[in-house]
């Protein structure tokens, strides 16, 4: 059985690849390259998989919320992804790289009884990224 | 081709495992253990899989709605899951157990031409459970 | 300027008017009269009105959340409206009476600088009730 | 990594299988067989799969939007599916056949670096169809 | 107290003013002038106003649904607004004229105890029209 | 008749009142005071009021979209409200001040036949601000 819990966070970012020229970055990212950045209300869905225990639960909701809250939301919510999150500053904070960073934050030392199955993140409701856990 | 139809029902429940003490239940389920129960507007997505027939349909919508209506909604909508649904009273009506009960209600003697693929149920939009049909 | 903040709570209830017979109650409320009750995820919108202060805010969000949380959500969330909320037990917990009870909970000794303008509550997204503050 | 982009279009249609009698069509499709047609706001989710390139993107959003816009939206948006889309006129414009037609429009000569993974289309939020790319 | 109930219907239409030339109509309505029409999933919110009766209800939900169902939905759902609704054929079925037609359908001989307050209709979630009852 | 059209834009901001100390700003705005800013997907509803003209429209949609697009969206979408919008830099970019700035952008030399009625802006779906046009 799969259980998905939904979380939200607000963050800002600017898309800019250092190896490219200003002109190439503008062409590649359009408005997302605007110098002072912009922001989004991200929606994060974390899916775990397992069998219900004797209390009828695949995972304890409070334990899962605490883990996601501490490892992900406390580092990303109301933050600037370029300035406040070292791994994204190095990698350009596209939503693809953000999804990969969140998977890594969750996957390292994942210690809940249910298995981490996938991470899905929406930048807006028109743009949804999904990444299976390794 | 997969076709998902969405249904809704309103129900109440109380989470309490008889084998645990009052204190353990309160700690495990928090507010969900409140003595007189609470309720939700559940969203149920039933997914079937098959090939379109000569009329261009994977399944006849009215037949599928009749089957889900009779086996699931008539038994759960505007009901108390602890008192009105025997299999859930025995199993603690967590959404995990509710999902398993709904899959069983649908799977026994499933007689539509399209194959039952999965059952997904949301307790709120922050809590989504998905179960593949066996 | 009007500011609306949205809150959610889950509760159960049963619609039954003591002055009416069992048959009349069944006819009047249909499935909402089922003996063991059912439940909903209510959405509560509280609207205040005022002018921004020197910090650019009509109301301090934390103060408003604390007031609504203490007076309304702590009493209704994960509760049974018939059993846990005395004013609704006496009045039949229709959403109309629930809206009036919430307005009263908020209006008595309202002590935020912004004026309470209205209370809106949705039982489901098909049923929305709105009540101006007196 | 999977990336889903969401598109919308408004179209009208009438469900009627030429090989069946008027009476059989009415029985099969109900109101969807009404002579002058009706319409919907369709939601189309196109999912691609691939690895982020050096700019941190699985696919260039503008290129993907241009391809979907030209091949699908320009042919379906604000159109009558029976009259304006030859492949659907021949096949009865059920959403199943519409999904298959859209997959074909996208799949032929798909020339983006990311692989086309699946097409999902909702006629209303109660009716969702999903088709894997071949 | 105001109570809003939400209804949905699917319909098709074509925007074309007979007094204008083909060229002027194309310029005025763009894609909405396409010859074979297109369609939408309309959302209709009907708001009534009154005081709760002794059962705690502003209006009996079944009576209100029956009235809106018979006068409005039975005439518009799965219909072509140009061909199936005489008053709209004469008036060009813009959503403005549709809103006015629905208000008239409801207002004539309105016989519920609660007062009709307003009618709101969304063509899509980007286009919302509201009309006070006279 | 009132017509509301919905627009969206993504922007970043930081809440900080220059007249207050760092400590007072942190206490007043919490996470919204984080040094490098954060962002949101704002939803903007612009409501106009008028009577349908002979084409059955209160306002020409393209003209209204062009006006809102040029005066508001081009200045705010994918921007940093502190750095890119002079009036908000001076006023602290709370959503209250943002709403007032948008009303001003629209109201000066408003030249559509329908009257500007109100401006409503949501920072997230929990926070909605509404301002009548003067």
């Amino acid at each position: 059985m799969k259980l998905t819990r939904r979380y939200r966070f607000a963050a800002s970012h600017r898309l800019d690849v250092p190896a490219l020229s200003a002109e190439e970055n503008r062409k590649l990212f359009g408005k997302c390259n605007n110098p002072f950045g912009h922001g989004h209300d991200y929606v994060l869905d974390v899916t775990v998989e397992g069998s219900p225990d004797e209390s009828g639960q695949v995972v304890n909701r409070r334990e899962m919320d605490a883990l996601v809250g501490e490892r992900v939301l406390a580092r990303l919510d109301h933050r600037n992804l370029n300035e406040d999150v070292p791994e994204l500053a190095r990698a350009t904070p596209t939503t693809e790289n953000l999804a990969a960073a969140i998977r890594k934050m969750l996957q390292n030392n994942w210690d809940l009884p249910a298995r981490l199955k996938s991470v899905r993140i929406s930048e807006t409701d028109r743009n949804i990224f999904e990444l299976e856990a390794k």
Side-chain angles (χ1 to χ4, degrees), chain A:
Chain A
M1 184 176 299
K2 286 188 287 186
L3 161 54
T4 300
R5 284 181 77 74
R6 175 159 287 186
Y7 305 93
R8 297 170 193 277
F9 62 91
S12 58
H13 70 160
R14 184 204 180 194
L15 299 186
D16 190 78
V17 175
L20 301 177
S21 72
E23 177 55 25
E24 289 169 320
N25 271 304
R26 260 197 305 277
K27 199 173 155 204
L28 185 60
F29 292 119
K31 291 182 298 185
C32 298
N33 183 246
N34 278 348
F36 294 108
H38 62 282
H40 296 290
D41 295 298
Y42 293 90
V43 176
L44 170 66
D45 290 337
V46 179
T47 299
V48 302
E49 196 171 38
S51 298
D53 62 15
E54 63 279 14
S55 77
Q57 297 184 106
V58 165
V59 75
N60 183 300
R61 279 76 162 140
R62 268 181 303 223
E63 290 176 10
M64 182 165 166
D65 289 355
L67 186 146
V68 176
E70 182 189 322
R71 294 192 185 181
V72 180
L73 303 183
R75 294 195 57 208
L76 301 181
D77 187 32
H78 281 72
R79 299 291 180 178
N80 179 304
L81 302 180
N82 303 68
E83 302 293 336
D84 293 316
V85 188
E87 30 306 41
L88 288 169
R90 283 192 295 273
T92 308
T94 58
T95 315
E96 283 92 334
N97 285 337
L98 177 58
I102 291 173
R103 181 176 65 173
K104 205 169 175 184
M105 292 170 182
L106 287 173
Q107 212 159 226
N108 287 348
N109 302 310
W110 174 264
D111 53 8
L112 296 178
R115 194 171 76 80
L116 179 65
K117 179 72 172 59
S118 61
V119 163
R120 185 170 52 205
I121 186 160
S122 309
E123 199 186 60
T124 69
D125 73 349
R126 287 205 47 214
N127 252 324
I128 305 167
F129 299 80
E130 187 169 349
L131 205 50
E132 293 289 309
K134 281 185 228 179

